[in-house]
Amino acid sequence: MVIRGAVQHTGLTVSNLERSVDFYVRILGCKLIMSQEKTGGYLAAIVGYPNASLKMAHLSDPAGHHVIELFEYMVPEMVKTELEPRRIGNAHLCFLVSDLNAIYNAIKNEGITFISGPVDVDTGVNAGGVGLYLRDPDGITMELFQPAPGTNAYKLLQGEK
């Protein structure tokens, strides 16, 4: 059997929900859809922790195409891990932007940890684009990418199909 459907959201565990919501809204341009607290019940069963208690928020990406779900576990105690792009299982979210250099200049003094500044993509399918990696407040990798004109990513950014 093959799953036939669509990706509805990406879930990330954070250490401080309010701080992360502020970062995703103020720096990345997301919009808060909802926030709530849950203890036990169906959510505890799904995540596999019988007594789970957590705070959660749903945010939409700036274009309103994708939901980012943030969880802050109250119970059980959270476990820190080193997040690095080369670690198996490490993920990142990529935000398409129209002017990466302007955005970088606007946010570079916001206390953000950047893995790189803007880098020109000079080979491959993304040649002509510009990208950078940064970390959210918990060290989760985010990518900002300005696609080259004419590419599928550029058309997506422009609202074309």
Side-chain angles (χ1 to χ4, degrees), residues 76-141:
E77 182 179 337
M78 289 186 282
V79 178
K80 282 204 159 271
T81 187
E82 264 190 66
L83 301 170
E84 289 187 38
R86 67 187 173 106
R87 288 193 182 266
I88 295 170
N90 192 74
H92 74 273
L93 291 178
C94 179
F95 290 80
L96 295 178
V97 299
S98 59
D99 189 343
L100 182 58
N101 286 315
I103 291 170
Y104 176 71
N105 287 326
I107 67 173
K108 69 181 178 184
N109 296 319
E110 292 283 338
I112 297 167
T113 301
F114 289 91
I115 295 173
S116 70
V119 176
D120 293 328
V121 180
D122 58 4
T123 60
V125 297
N126 291 317
V130 184
L132 67 72
Y133 269 17
L134 59 90
R135 297 187 184 280
D136 86 346
D138 286 299
I140 299 169
T141 307

